[in-house]
Amino acid sequence: MFICNFKKYYTWEPTLEKHLLKIDCPIERTLHVISGKWKLALLCELNRGNSRLKDLEKYNPEASKRALTKQLGELVEDGIIQKKDYEVYPKKVEYSLTEKGKELISVLKVLDDSGKQL
């Protein structure tokens, strides 16, 4: 049985008025990592295989290049995806899931299954 003691993680710090929760809570930390308008779509595309920014733009035409680049950078920073720069001209950059990202995909699949039952 899943039990989460949120009271354990709630703290109030006046200097962090925007954040009532510390990122010490595993659920809060996970939700923080995947929160973002395009992050789930990016993760789903990268689950299919490595992709370049142009490919990700093609699959998410409503998203601006700036928004995709920003959220890709956040996912790289969180260790969910990796960015590989090729030393060629013209510049070539490819994104792929890390092991941590592949583990997160399994969590997203459980959320997908739960959502289908709601």
Side-chain angles (χ1 to χ4, degrees), residues 1-11 21-22 24-28:
M1 179 178 201
F2 173 76
I3 298 173
C4 186
N5 184 4
F6 284 108
K7 288 185 179 183
K8 175 180 168 184
Y9 301 109
Y10 275 90
T11 57
L21 287 177
K22 284 189 171 183
D24 294 340
C25 174
I27 295 171
E28 176 75 9

Side-chain angles (χ1 to χ4, degrees), residues 8-23:
K8 175 180 168 184
Y9 301 109
Y10 275 90
T11 57
W12 173 255
E13 293 185 20
T15 58
L16 299 173
E17 291 180 16
K18 290 182 181 178
H19 306 289
L20 296 176
L21 287 177
K22 284 189 171 183
I23 305 294

Side-chain angles (χ1 to χ4, degrees), residues 9-110:
Y9 301 109
Y10 275 90
T11 57
W12 173 255
E13 293 185 20
T15 58
L16 299 173
E17 291 180 16
K18 290 182 181 178
H19 306 289
L20 296 176
L21 287 177
K22 284 189 171 183
I23 305 294
D24 294 340
C25 174
I27 295 171
E28 176 75 9
R29 191 169 48 245
T30 302
L31 291 174
H32 176 75
V33 167
I34 63 172
S35 67
K37 188 170 184 177
W38 304 107
K39 286 185 180 179
L40 291 177
L42 291 170
L43 290 171
C44 289
E45 286 303 323
L46 290 171
N47 189 41
R48 296 177 191 205
N50 300 354
S51 292
R52 296 178 66 185
L53 180 60
K54 288 281 185 196
D55 299 328
L56 296 169
E57 287 179 300
K58 184 173 72 174
Y59 295 123
N60 300 289
E62 305 87 16
S64 69
K65 183 176 184 176
R66 181 178 182 271
L68 291 177
T69 303
K70 181 178 185 272
Q71 293 196 356
L72 284 166
E74 290 170 2
L75 289 168
V76 168
E77 189 177 299
D78 290 328
I80 305 301
I81 63 173
Q82 63 186 3
K83 176 180 177 180
K84 183 174 181 183
D85 288 309
Y86 292 90
E87 299 296 325
V88 296
Y89 183 82
K91 186 177 178 180
K92 179 181 176 184
V93 176
E94 199 171 71
Y95 295 93
S96 60
L97 290 173
T98 61
E99 286 304 313
K100 192 191 276 189
K102 291 174 184 174
E103 289 175 21
L104 186 59
I105 292 295
S106 64
V107 172
L108 296 177
K109 287 179 181 176
V110 170

